[in-house]
Amino acid sequence: MPGSFGYVETRRVVLFTEDDPLVLSSGATLAPVEVAYETYGTPAPDGSNAVFVCHALTGDAHAAGHHGDPARTGWWDTLIGPGKPIDSERLFVICPNLLGGCRGTTGPSSPDRTTGRPYGLRFPHFSVSDLVAVHRRLLAHLGIRRLYGAVGGSLGGMQVLQWALDRPGEIEHAVLVCASSRLTAQNIALSAVARASILGDEHFCGGDYYDSGRNPDVGLSVARMLAHITYVSERGLELKFGRGRLREAPTFGVDFQVESYLEHQGRSFLERFDANSYLYLSRAMDYFDPFADEEGAVERLRDSGTRFLVVSFDSDWRFPTAHSAEIARVLERAGCTVQLEEVSSPWGHDSFLLEVPRYHELVAGFLGAAVAVR
Amino acid sequence: MPGSFGYVETRRVVLFTEDDPLVLSSGATLAPVEVAYETYGTPAPDGSNAVFVCHALTGDAHAAGHHGDPARTGWWDTLIGPGKPIDSERLFVICPNLLGGCRGTTGPSSPDRTTGRPYGLRFPHFSVSDLVAVHRRLLAHLGIRRLYGAVGGSLGGMQVLQWALDRPGEIEHAVLVCASSRLTAQNIALSAVARASILGDEHFCGGDYYDSGRNPDVGLSVARMLAHITYVSERGLELKFGRGRLREAPTFGVDFQVESYLEHQGRSFLERFDANSYLYLSRAMDYFDPFADEEGAVERLRDSGTRFLVVSFDSDWRFPTAHSAEIARVLERAGCTVQLEEVSSPWGHDSFLLEVPRYHELVAGFLGAAVAVR
């Protein structure tokens, strides 16, 4: 039986200082940059067993184990732990909170040392490459030079892809789950509506809401409810809720079960996420387009030696299989070893967070764990 | 060459008075009820050429012709007019604004005679059956007892279906374009997010914003932008905009072409639509479920003599072909003559408003016009 990693603590480290600032791809600089991260398992003496986990839009460093309550585990606890597909008995797993986030790593809610106040919208825009640059600094801080594996779902997979391009050969096994190399116009449109909702909230105050005692809660919860619809499949919602009702006669409250579920998703999100972080990270996704120069990408990847596992889910309508297939197409052009797999699951994009057996077998097999055959 | 109907005026008529109020399916009463409507063509002496047009969620009575500027025609001017599929040289076409609307027919922005102030959220909830009851009263006012045809797209098609059920035999030819007999959990979820955005707007004021000088514009425009994404197809957005950009470097403004388009959709909607009307009409759609008692529906439709044309578009993801097929399935169980057609078009749900040749041919053929072979 695979077990839980048990109690873990989130650590923090200052990776960039005013003397040694983070130079963003835009040319802007940022300092200090502190990063929150967790690790699971033990590094091999030669650092050869490191697996880097990149989180998605609203994730955090707490991927596995628990912080005191064994019932409340990290967001990828089903995937990471002793005997699990990312086996912490064998692998040394690292998961940081993203630059621009709000869960311990420097982001728009962090104090700007030049003013003493939170950055708000004065935080610089950053790219997925910049996220990777911070990851690499964390890796160096941990004394690791090369990754046995890098794993991510959605925006997490985009970071893994960018890393493979920015530093060819640094990753031995790259796992991209329901990722994309390029948001479609519809993807961008949905992000734009979420941002319009946040930016238009009466309490947004141009991003300087931190000291006002009020947050743009309506805007952020609407953004989250909308995004959540794209994370689950039409069929999944139908299976769970159908047209189940909580009332007989119409109101503008919560009449249908699916409305109750959505409202809960919106409300609970407010406790853990910052509206400005949402704006910055979603915008970085819009601009992500690492194959815009496809020939350049193919050249960079050639002879990198990185092996890829690219997984999609058949009910994912945020980043359908076509997105994964497009990634695989370019990787194959570069001569990379690519395993492209579409997994059947009714749960849409969110499947990457769930215990879908075939998906877990694929990750375990690719990373060389023996879970699948136990 | 089919021509335009030319100059038209919207007329208004009080159909229900305090002595003769509209009794809603909830049992609530409403009076007065005034209805704005337009007509095109000339009624036959025996009233045998009447075609009733039911508009969708945000339509109005101005379906064809123009109000003075020949360049600005009604929303279905491509379909209705001399020599067009709904041929005003042969047919007498009637199109009213819906109950609960905001374009001339009594709705939440109308004055409540008991208070002298706009109803706001004191307006009663109503069903699609109630919309049909008002349509039927307008028809009686015009001296017409039976319809040669009833035609509607989306919510308009839902009204046609309800009419066929509520008054079996009253419609000879029923045309349902990208309609549904039952919103899915995902459909309801998307509506719920749109409503949450309106209800949470700082200027919504519990629906009593009419005298405040401010409207819930942010909430309503976000609702419209979101809805608009569901009206167009992913492929349509990709063909029109792709990842085309207006800026080089990221901002939280309008960076991508698709964002500019969406913002325009949201902003221009504010000039023509009322937030409370949006709430009421979208809620009526959520509750629409005329086949909940399928056996009862089959019994009512049996021997009605109504012939049905049910059209869907292959790129419509708001009400995909499965919704139309489900309608046809029940109609066929009742022994009705049903022509179910899926038309290919890249433009999604909005195709019903556009000049898609095969679709126009189907409507013309079904209503007996000779357009298709000209």
Side-chain angles (χ1 to χ4, degrees):
Chain A
M1 270 290 286
S4 170
F5 191 73
Y7 180 77
V8 290
E9 273 181 14
T10 307
R11 274 167 287 173
R12 293 192 188 206
V13 58
V14 175
L15 293 177
F16 298 89
T17 62
E18 277 167 55
D19 293 341
D20 174 26
L22 172 62
V23 182
L24 298 166
S25 43
S26 66
T29 58
L30 189 68
V33 175
E34 191 174 35
V35 171
Y37 69 99
E38 294 191 3
T39 65
Y40 319 103
T42 308
D46 62 355
S48 63
N49 67 338
V51 171
F52 205 97
V53 169
C54 300
H55 73 67
L57 182 60
T58 67
D60 58 27
H62 184 39
H66 63 82
H67 286 172
D69 177 358
R72 292 172 64 93
T73 53
W75 56 271
W76 238 357
D77 193 72
T78 53
L79 200 73
I80 303 166
K84 293 182 183 173
I86 302 178
D87 188 349
S88 60
E89 284 180 337
R90 200 171 55 81
L91 302 167
F92 176 57
V93 185
I94 306 145
C95 181
N97 184 215
L98 292 181
L99 177 72
C102 52
R103 306 283 290 173
T105 293
T106 299
S109 56
S110 304
D112 177 351
R113 293 290 164 94
T114 64
T115 63
R117 297 172 51 218
Y119 283 102
L121 295 188
R122 291 167 298 279
F123 199 77
H125 280 275
F126 51 84
S127 68
V128 175
S129 261
D130 296 325
L131 302 180
V132 170
V134 177
H135 294 337
R136 296 187 66 253
R137 181 65 69 99
L138 173 62
L139 210 58
H141 165 76
L142 295 171
I144 294 166
R145 292 192 174 180
R146 194 154 181 277
L147 287 170
Y148 175 74
V151 185
S154 194
L155 173 58
M158 295 156 89
Q159 293 161 58
V160 173
L161 178 59
Q162 187 71 57
W163 197 329
L165 279 158
D166 286 354
R167 296 289 162 165
E170 206 162 275
I171 301 169
E172 202 170 329
H173 295 82
V175 180
L176 286 65
V177 190
C178 47
S180 173
S181 64
R182 182 182 289 139
L183 269 64
T184 63
Q186 187 190 70
N187 293 149
I188 294 168
L190 288 162
S191 282
V193 175
R195 282 191 298 269
S197 177
I198 292 169
L199 293 164
D201 188 289
E202 63 177 313
H203 299 301
F204 183 68
C205 303
D208 289 325
Y209 49 81
Y210 299 107
D211 302 326
S212 72
R214 301 290 296 269
N215 294 322
D217 287 346
V218 169
L220 184 59
S221 62
V222 165
R224 176 60 172 187
M225 288 190 281
L226 167 55
H228 193 83
I229 296 173
T230 72
Y231 298 156
V232 295
S233 71
E234 171 145 38
R235 182 165 160 242
L237 285 178
E238 208 60 24
L239 287 171
K240 267 194 196 169
F241 306 109
R243 293 179 51 83
R245 285 227 297 272
L246 303 170
R247 293 181 211 264
E248 277 303 302
T251 72
F252 294 126
V254 170
D255 291 7
F256 288 84
Q257 285 173 12
V258 68
E259 292 182 289
S260 169
Y261 168 73
L262 261 195
E263 198 195 44
H264 171 77
Q265 296 295 331
R267 200 175 44 237
S268 59
F269 188 59
L270 301 177
E271 292 161 20
R272 68 179 182 86
F273 218 77
D274 173 57
N276 283 325
S277 284
Y278 198 91
L279 295 176
Y280 279 90
L281 286 164
S282 73
R283 198 45 134 180
M285 288 181 81
D286 292 348
Y287 273 83
F288 182 68
D289 194 5
F291 297 154
D293 169 17
E294 185 174 318
E295 298 312 314
V298 165
E299 274 317 301
R300 294 188 69 77
L301 287 163
R302 199 177 296 285
D303 307 323
S304 67
T306 304
R307 300 163 58 91
F308 290 86
L309 171 65
V310 181
V311 179
S312 66
F313 296 96
D314 58 357
S315 59
D316 182 355
W317 67 281
R318 172 143 175 83
F319 295 143
T321 295
H323 289 243
S324 286
E326 166 67 6
I327 293 173
R329 182 187 67 77
V330 178
L331 296 176
E332 279 166 0
R333 274 201 60 204
C336 299
T337 303
V338 184
Q339 186 181 350
L340 173 67
E341 300 275 357
E342 183 185 65
V343 173
S344 187
S345 156
W347 310 120
H349 192 64
D350 261 0
S351 300
F352 85 88
L353 296 167
L354 303 175
E355 206 167 342
V356 179
R358 174 71 184 141
Y359 152 50
H360 277 203
E361 280 169 23
L362 287 165
V363 175
F366 186 72
L367 292 178
V371 171
V373 293
R374 272 186 190 177
Chain B
M1 269 291 287
S4 171
F5 191 72
Y7 180 77
V8 290
E9 274 182 14
T10 306
R11 276 169 287 173
R12 292 192 188 208
V13 58
V14 175
L15 293 177
F16 298 90
T17 62
E18 277 167 56
D19 293 339
D20 175 26
L22 172 62
V23 182
L24 299 165
S25 43
S26 66
T29 59
L30 189 68
V33 175
E34 191 175 36
V35 170
Y37 68 101
E38 295 191 1
T39 65
Y40 320 103
T42 309
D46 62 355
S48 63
N49 67 338
V51 171
F52 205 97
V53 169
C54 301
H55 72 67
L57 181 62
T58 67
D60 57 29
H62 184 38
H66 63 82
H67 286 171
D69 176 359
R72 292 171 64 95
T73 53
W75 55 270
W76 238 357
D77 193 72
T78 53
L79 200 72
I80 304 166
K84 294 183 183 174
I86 302 177
D87 187 350
S88 58
E89 285 180 336
R90 200 171 54 80
L91 302 168
F92 176 58
V93 185
I94 306 145
C95 180
N97 184 214
L98 292 182
L99 177 72
C102 52
R103 305 283 289 173
T105 293
T106 299
S109 57
S110 303
D112 177 350
R113 292 290 165 95
T114 64
T115 63
R117 296 171 52 216
Y119 284 101
L121 295 188
R122 291 167 299 278
F123 199 77
H125 279 274
F126 51 84
S127 67
V128 175
S129 261
D130 297 325
L131 302 180
V132 170
V134 178
H135 293 339
R136 296 187 66 251
R137 181 64 69 99
L138 174 62
L139 211 57
H141 166 76
L142 296 170
I144 293 166
R145 293 194 175 178
R146 194 152 182 278
L147 289 169
Y148 175 74
V151 185
S154 194
L155 173 58
M158 294 156 90
Q159 295 160 58
V160 174
L161 177 59
Q162 187 72 57
W163 197 329
L165 279 158
D166 286 354
R167 297 289 162 165
E170 205 161 274
I171 302 168
E172 202 171 328
H173 295 81
V175 181
L176 286 64
V177 190
C178 46
S180 173
S181 64
R182 183 181 289 139
L183 269 65
T184 63
Q186 187 190 69
N187 294 148
I188 295 169
L190 288 162
S191 283
V193 175
R195 282 191 299 268
S197 177
I198 293 169
L199 293 164
D201 188 289
E202 63 177 311
H203 298 302
F204 184 68
C205 304
D208 289 326
Y209 48 81
Y210 299 106
D211 301 325
S212 72
R214 301 289 296 270
N215 293 324
D217 287 346
V218 169
L220 185 60
S221 62
V222 165
R224 177 61 171 187
M225 288 191 281
L226 167 54
H228 193 82
I229 296 173
T230 73
Y231 298 156
V232 295
S233 71
E234 171 146 38
R235 181 164 162 244
L237 285 177
E238 208 61 25
L239 287 171
K240 268 193 194 169
F241 306 108
R243 294 180 49 84
R245 284 227 296 271
L246 303 170
R247 294 180 208 264
E248 278 302 302
T251 74
F252 294 125
V254 170
D255 290 7
F256 288 84
Q257 285 173 12
V258 69
E259 292 182 288
S260 170
Y261 168 73
L262 260 195
E263 198 196 43
H264 171 76
Q265 296 295 332
R267 199 175 45 238
S268 59
F269 188 60
L270 301 177
E271 292 161 21
R272 68 179 183 87
F273 218 77
D274 173 56
N276 283 325
S277 285
Y278 198 91
L279 295 177
Y280 279 90
L281 287 164
S282 72
R283 198 45 133 180
M285 288 181 81
D286 291 349
Y287 272 83
F288 183 68
D289 193 5
F291 297 155
D293 169 17
E294 185 174 318
E295 298 311 314
V298 165
E299 273 319 299
R300 294 188 69 77
L301 288 163
R302 200 177 296 285
D303 307 321
S304 67
T306 305
R307 299 164 57 91
F308 290 86
L309 172 64
V310 182
V311 179
S312 66
F313 296 96
D314 59 356
S315 60
D316 182 356
W317 67 281
R318 171 142 176 84
F319 295 145
T321 294
H323 290 243
S324 286
E326 166 67 5
I327 293 172
R329 182 187 67 77
V330 178
L331 296 176
E332 280 166 358
R333 274 200 61 205
C336 299
T337 303
V338 184
Q339 186 182 351
L340 174 67
E341 300 274 358
E342 184 185 65
V343 174
S344 187
S345 155
W347 311 120
H349 192 65
D350 261 359
S351 300
F352 86 89
L353 296 168
L354 304 174
E355 207 168 342
V356 179
R358 173 72 184 140
Y359 152 51
H360 277 204
E361 280 168 23
L362 286 166
V363 174
F366 185 72
L367 293 178
V371 171
V373 293
R374 273 187 190 175

